[in-house]
Amino acid sequence: MKAFRLDELEAERAANEGAYLQFIRERNMSVGLYALDAGALDTQQPHKQDEVYLVVSGHGSITVGTETTQVARGSVVYVPAGAAHKFHHITEDLRVMVIFSPPEG
């Protein structure tokens, strides 16, 4: 078993000065914490993997392909492999759990 606390993951991510912290990598999936501060630009590119975002805090919008929706704590968004997607209009620091299948990278 592997168990984590969001506050500890956030502290580790911040200490490493990166927007993304991968904390689980297994044969069929990987999981990370993605952080975008209010007003930040999301520069990610489409991924080769399917992914699921679970917003753990914050508020903003996400566009996947041509569809846009607002997201906040508790929002879950599925992004198919290869789809263009970006978070934007981030009005409150976003912290997002990201699940990739198969594992990223």
Side-chain angles (χ1 to χ4, degrees), residues 73-92:
R73 182 177 182 210
S75 297
V76 178
V77 178
Y78 167 71
V79 179
H85 59 287
K86 299 269 188 230
F87 288 98
H88 52 93
H89 295 97
I90 301 165
T91 57
E92 183 181 321

Side-chain angles (χ1 to χ4, degrees), residues 8-26:
E8 293 170 355
L9 293 170
E10 174 60 13
E12 182 179 349
R13 185 209 54 80
N16 290 321
E17 299 181 5
Y20 184 73
L21 171 70
Q22 179 177 278
F23 60 93
I24 296 176
R25 183 177 181 83
E26 298 294 336

Side-chain angles (χ1 to χ4, degrees), residues 35-73:
L36 291 164
D37 292 338
L41 295 176
D42 183 5
T43 60
Q44 67 179 313
Q45 299 296 314
H47 307 285
K48 295 178 183 176
Q49 305 83 359
D50 288 337
E51 62 186 307
V52 174
Y53 290 113
L54 168 61
V55 178
V56 295
S57 65
H59 190 270
S61 296
I62 187 171
T63 298
V64 179
T66 60
E67 297 181 88
T68 299
T69 191
Q70 291 188 349
V71 294
R73 182 177 182 210

